[in-house]
Amino acid sequence: MADQDLVLGNPGLALGQSHDLVISEDHGLGLGQRHGLVLGHPHDHDLGLGQAHSHDLMLGHSHESQLVLGHHHHHHDHGHDDGEELALGHSHDPDQDALAAQNHDLGLSDNHELALADTHDLGVDHNLDQLSVDQEQDLALGLTQEMLQGQLVVPQVLQARAVIVNPDHQLSVGQEFADVKSCRRAIRDAAIACHFEIQTVKSDKTRFTAKCSAEGCPWRIHAAKLPGVPNFTIRTIHETHTCNGINHLGHQQASVEWVASSVEERLRENPHYKPKEILEEIHRMHGITLSYKQAWRGKERIMAAVRGSFEEGYRLLPQYCEQIKRTNPGSIASVYRNYDDNCFQRLFISFYASIYGFVNACRPLIGLDKTVLKSKYLGTLLLATGFDGDGALFPLAFGVVDEASDENWIWFLSELHALLEANTENMPRLTILSDRQKGIVDGVDFNFPTAFHGFCMHHLSESFRKEFSNSVLVNLLWGAAHALIAIDFEAKILEIEEISPEAAFWIRRIPPRLWATSYFEGTRFGHLTANIVESLNNWILEASALPIIQMMEYIRRQLMTWFNERREASMQWTTILVPSAEQRVSDAIERARGYQVGRANEAEFEVVSSHEGSVIVDIRNRCCYCRGWQLDGLPCAHGVAALLSCRQNVHRYTESFFTVANYRKTYSQTIHPIPDKSLWKESSESNQNGENQIAIVVNPPKSLRPPGRPRKKRVRPEDHGRVKRIVHCSRCNQTGHFRTTCAAPV
């Protein structure tokens, strides 16, 4: 090192995490008021070029200003006498503490750059001899023109990890391993734990030789296979290291396989363990910094072993369908493939417990929805759900297709019609809610010609919101949808027209008989939406990222839990109606106390109130002029007033699926568990009864999911073909962009 270099410690000086390098403006160096260099551990030491403080180590200078290496830790004993000093220049303070450090360098090199090498610890080397510079020699800091202009060059700080001895990964001559893989794995783990990297010299079925990858380091190990057995044993090992360990953040042996084995136990306990958390755990335990991709690939490798691969899921689909039908008799489980290449095409599953509950106790109302799979291969999950007596979703059938095309929706609805027809003598007249995609409309018209098919208001309002971005208009749209009579509906539309004629025109393009309660011919029982995916968002999206069998098992377990929990909860109910219906009837009874009732005959009544006027009620046909009774299936306040006036039991005039008895019937059947896939082959062979069955081969779809983050917001069918609004820039008066994104020159 040249005369201009200052070296402290052997070999280095450690700087804490909050150590500051301060070059004060008083010294005329032109370096600004304060330049902070923060490295290492959380102490409060300062390395300063500035005024001397108490307990500071000073480097004297021929001018008034001084170069000061000091700290603000008052009363800290570093294990040195006051006589251990670093004196530079003609004068120094004998009361300054000695500065000593371990394994760090501070130097001003020949090109006058300040180089700092950061390692692990800030420590005082008790064996460090007193460092002094002959007072007869002046220290020339050699300030260059660049330093005078405030350009202080600090090279990149590298992290070094010295070789250590880890008792848990001690290797010794004669140590045996089950096979060569176990041998290589043990040597790899020892290299990672002891902070050095290895280079394979020879590796085959009978021997394995490796050495330290550092140039000139003598560490070397040789293992060989024992005769007659697959075991390997260490024959020779040179345990001495002359290298300084690793001088970078990663590790050559920290492969994806090693990452997988390191976090396998944690992932089996918590499958939601994130790659970011894996990175933090490995850095905390081993001091190794890995890339996000390595952590993600390591997690995927373990998850594939735990849940099975995506390819295996498609291959086992025929056996899975057989297991569903075997464990849940009466269920429907069918897989379809392309006969040209045996690639997966469609899957339809409906459990008998769901079929029985819907046909015998649920409202004749079905919602249709879909969600895109987030797995390795492209696909879409189609859902058909009913609604139980308490208003909760009641999943009826599931379909998995390669895409949500019109053809696939028609197929799904034909399967749905087949299962309902097979399980009921008289097909009920259904009300179906969906986003009215063309394939759904065609499928409903063909398979359920008598059904009432309406818009799901969630889909419709979201499209309206995208178009006009006005919450007031959206609220008025919902008010129009909820209006029970045509007069109230038209009033809401007029309010929208006063605010935005374009919005009113947009709404009038859609026939009100498809979405407005006052014009809709079917009975929706108060349900205007069928946003199934949003309602099941807590778990359906998580299931959609799994392999296909694991996804269906995730859904089956959720349904099994729901059936059991709701069945047990209903056993505690003591009322005639389910809780939600009981509450609505109680509210209607309370409101009915303020009505005056006049009776025309045994069935017809006139109900009068000061704020609503006169309303006609027919208790025989269970209808009211306000249409609330016939639309909801529960007596409205007017109907309740009429029933109470003639001493009738209000509960007898509610629809049967609102009763607790029917609710218990809805969940009376059980969704049974399915055995582990390791037992499928055995159970299939026992059911064949000697008959030869040709194994069906199902390959994964040909289309993989494209890279990148999947779209979170679904594209609504009603958005297709929609003309986008033309935006205008108020800065350049051009169209196609806003003022904030305008790139025109000023």
Side-chain angles (χ1 to χ4, degrees):
M1 183 173 288
D3 293 337
Q4 298 160 341
D5 295 341
L6 172 62
V7 180
L8 300 180
N10 186 19
L13 172 65
L15 298 180
Q17 203 169 36
S18 297
H19 292 64
D20 294 334
L21 174 62
V22 183
I23 301 179
S24 175
E25 62 178 352
D26 296 334
H27 294 77
L29 298 182
L31 300 181
Q33 293 183 353
R34 188 170 182 87
H35 299 267
L37 177 63
V38 182
L39 301 170
H41 302 283
H43 302 293
D44 204 19
H45 298 269
D46 289 321
L47 173 60
L49 297 181
Q51 296 178 352
H53 303 286
S54 61
H55 303 286
D56 288 338
L57 180 61
M58 301 188 300
L59 302 177
H61 196 276
S62 58
H63 300 287
E64 291 299 329
S65 59
Q66 296 176 332
L67 175 65
V68 183
L69 301 179
H71 56 81
H72 298 293
H73 274 213
H74 308 292
H75 312 296
H76 280 206
D77 186 4
H78 290 271
H80 288 271
D81 296 332
D82 291 338
E84 292 182 328
E85 302 168 350
L86 172 62
L88 296 176
H90 294 287
S91 63
H92 63 275
D93 189 347
D95 295 331
Q96 304 303 323
D97 292 341
L99 178 63
Q102 187 178 15
N103 299 329
H104 299 275
D105 294 336
L106 170 65
L108 293 175
S109 59
D110 292 331
N111 57 0
H112 311 297
E113 295 179 356
L114 178 61
L116 298 171
D118 178 24
T119 63
H120 288 300
D121 301 314
L122 172 65
V124 177
D125 188 352
H126 297 282
N127 298 322
L128 180 65
D129 293 332
Q130 179 178 350
L131 175 64
S132 64
V133 178
D134 194 339
Q135 293 184 1
E136 296 178 359
Q137 298 181 354
D138 291 333
L139 173 66
L141 291 177
L143 299 174
T144 64
Q145 185 66 26
E146 289 79 10
M147 293 183 66
L148 291 175
Q149 294 176 358
Q151 297 179 1
L152 183 61
V153 181
V154 181
Q156 183 179 1
V157 178
L158 299 178
Q159 179 176 347
R161 300 195 297 277
V163 177
I164 63 173
V165 176
N166 192 322
D168 296 334
H169 295 84
Q170 192 76 27
L171 300 174
S172 58
V173 176
Q175 188 173 350
E176 292 188 9
F177 306 94
D179 50 33
V180 65
K181 289 185 178 180
S182 301
C183 178
R184 287 198 297 258
R185 190 182 303 115
I187 296 174
R188 176 202 64 190
D189 294 343
I192 293 174
C194 299
H195 300 166
F196 69 93
E197 294 178 332
I198 61 174
Q199 180 180 348
T200 302
V201 179
K202 294 179 182 178
S203 179
D204 53 36
K205 295 181 180 180
T206 60
R207 57 186 175 175
F208 178 77
T209 305
K211 66 176 184 178
C212 180
S213 61
E215 185 176 355
C217 183
W219 188 93
R220 189 181 182 94
I221 189 170
H222 175 72
K225 181 178 177 295
L226 294 175
V229 291
N231 298 43
F232 264 66
T233 183
I234 297 178
R235 293 289 178 84
T236 60
I237 181 171
H238 194 292
E239 298 180 315
T240 304
H241 280 277
T242 60
C243 61
N244 292 325
I246 304 174
N247 61 354
H248 57 86
L249 299 175
H251 198 289
Q252 186 177 350
Q253 274 66 54
S255 61
V256 173
E257 180 185 357
W258 176 79
V259 173
S261 61
S262 300
V263 298
E264 179 177 2
E265 184 177 352
R266 179 69 66 88
L267 278 173
R268 290 184 182 274
E269 296 175 355
N270 179 22
H272 306 297
Y273 202 40
K274 298 179 180 178
K276 181 181 178 181
E277 297 172 329
I278 293 175
L279 292 176
E280 294 173 352
E281 178 75 9
I282 289 179
H283 187 270
R284 184 177 64 84
M285 298 295 295
H286 305 282
I288 297 175
T289 301
L290 302 175
S291 66
Y292 184 90
K293 185 176 181 180
Q294 282 180 289
W296 182 84
R297 292 175 61 192
K299 176 182 177 179
E300 287 299 304
R301 183 168 296 190
I302 293 300
M303 295 310 296
V306 172
R307 69 193 180 194
S309 66
F310 290 93
E311 292 76 14
E312 182 188 38
Y314 288 101
R315 181 174 56 84
L316 295 177
L317 271 178
Q319 294 174 259
Y320 178 68
C321 292
E322 290 299 321
Q323 291 298 318
I324 290 177
K325 290 184 284 188
R326 185 183 68 83
T327 56
N328 293 267
S331 300
I332 298 174
S334 305
V335 60
Y336 301 88
R337 57 194 171 98
N338 189 326
Y339 289 99
D340 295 333
D341 51 13
N342 290 330
C343 286
F344 171 82
Q345 194 172 14
R346 294 164 179 156
L347 173 70
F348 184 88
I349 292 177
S350 180
F351 293 96
Y352 176 73
S354 296
I355 299 172
Y356 179 87
F358 179 81
V359 169
N360 292 281
C362 278
R363 315 176 189 189
L365 175 65
I366 292 179
L368 302 176
D369 206 351
K370 66 179 184 295
T371 183
V372 177
L373 302 185
K374 296 175 176 58
S375 59
K376 182 178 179 180
Y377 296 93
L378 285 176
T380 302
L381 176 66
L382 309 181
L383 305 99
T385 66
F387 299 86
D388 64 21
D390 205 30
L393 288 175
F394 185 81
L396 175 59
F398 304 90
V400 180
V401 295
D402 50 2
E403 61 177 345
S405 62
D406 295 342
E407 181 183 357
N408 283 331
W409 269 118
I410 294 173
W411 162 81
F412 181 73
L413 289 167
S414 66
E415 294 285 332
L416 186 63
H417 176 269
L419 78 86
L420 292 176
E421 192 175 44
N423 288 273
T424 182
E425 295 181 358
N426 298 316
M427 177 72 70
R429 191 172 189 183
L430 299 174
T431 297
I432 298 176
L433 301 178
S434 73
D435 59 7
R436 288 189 63 88
Q437 178 180 330
K438 184 180 183 302
I440 300 179
V441 173
D442 294 341
V444 170
D445 291 343
F446 180 78
N447 294 286
F448 303 97
T450 62
F452 302 103
H453 188 193
F455 260 117
C456 166
M457 272 304 298
H458 175 78
H459 296 160
L460 191 63
S461 65
E462 284 301 307
S463 298
F464 185 75
R465 187 191 303 274
K466 287 181 183 179
E467 184 70 26
F468 299 101
S469 301
N470 188 322
S471 59
V472 175
L473 292 177
V474 173
N475 291 336
L476 289 173
L477 176 67
W478 276 97
H482 281 286
L484 298 180
I485 57 178
I487 296 177
D488 295 339
F489 171 82
E490 293 298 334
K492 293 295 182 182
I493 298 299
L494 289 176
E495 288 186 52
I496 294 175
E497 190 170 17
E498 291 177 359
I499 300 175
S500 172
E502 294 83 1
F505 176 77
W506 189 94
I507 296 172
R508 292 186 188 278
R509 290 185 307 145
I510 305 172
R513 61 180 177 81
L514 299 178
W515 60 278
T517 302
S518 56
Y519 289 95
F520 190 73
E521 298 177 356
T523 304
R524 292 184 288 189
F525 304 100
H527 291 277
L528 301 186
T529 64
N531 53 323
I532 304 166
V533 173
E534 284 78 4
S535 301
L536 306 181
N537 188 56
N538 293 334
W539 58 273
I540 198 70
L541 294 181
E542 182 178 342
S544 66
L546 299 173
I548 187 166
I549 288 182
Q550 295 297 321
M551 176 183 70
M552 297 311 304
E553 276 294 274
Y554 195 106
I555 294 173
R556 182 197 58 78
R557 293 190 188 100
Q558 185 66 48
L559 295 183
M560 180 179 69
T561 303
W562 276 1
F563 269 63
N564 182 64
E565 290 177 350
R566 294 175 182 179
R567 185 188 310 116
E568 292 182 349
S570 66
M571 295 302 174
Q572 308 300 320
W573 297 343
T574 57
T575 56
I576 298 175
L577 304 179
V578 297
S580 61
E582 193 71 39
Q583 182 62 45
R584 292 177 63 182
V585 169
S586 298
D587 294 341
I589 292 175
E590 188 66 26
R591 289 177 55 197
R593 299 185 188 278
Y595 293 155
Q596 296 179 357
V597 181
R599 187 168 187 174
N601 54 41
E602 68 277 3
E604 192 174 7
F605 295 81
E606 180 182 10
V607 180
V608 181
S609 66
S610 58
H611 59 284
E612 294 180 6
S614 176
V615 178
I616 301 173
V617 176
D618 186 348
I619 63 173
R620 180 187 294 117
N621 296 316
R622 299 185 180 186
C623 64
C624 176
Y625 181 78
C626 74
R627 302 186 74 236
W629 194 344
Q630 51 266 45
L631 290 176
D632 294 338
L634 293 170
C636 60
H638 310 109
V640 169
L643 291 170
L644 293 178
S645 68
C646 60
R647 300 181 181 181
Q648 293 292 323
N649 187 344
V650 176
H651 295 90
R652 291 180 53 192
Y653 287 84
T654 61
E655 295 292 342
S656 61
F657 42 76
F658 286 115
T659 63
V660 171
N662 253 37
Y663 185 91
R664 291 171 180 169
K665 192 174 183 180
T666 305
Y667 296 100
S668 62
Q669 302 299 309
T670 301
I671 296 181
H672 300 282
I674 294 176
D676 186 76
K677 61 184 178 182
S678 60
L679 304 175
W680 292 358
K681 184 177 180 181
E682 178 181 346
S683 60
S684 297
E685 291 176 351
S686 62
N687 290 337
Q688 288 180 10
N689 297 325
E691 298 179 1
N692 295 325
Q693 295 185 357
I694 301 175
I696 301 175
V697 178
V698 178
N699 297 324
K702 289 184 177 180
S703 53
L704 292 170
R705 184 169 61 87
R709 187 182 297 274
R711 178 191 294 269
K712 288 187 176 180
K713 293 185 178 180
R714 296 183 293 172
V715 178
R716 307 296 182 187
E718 55 269 25
D719 293 337
H720 292 295
R722 179 170 58 91
V723 179
K724 295 185 178 179
R725 288 194 301 167
I726 300 176
V727 296
H728 184 269
C729 177
S730 60
R731 180 170 174 267
C732 66
N733 293 324
Q734 301 296 319
T735 59
H737 64 274
F738 294 102
R739 179 184 181 88
T740 55
T741 58
C742 182
V746 180

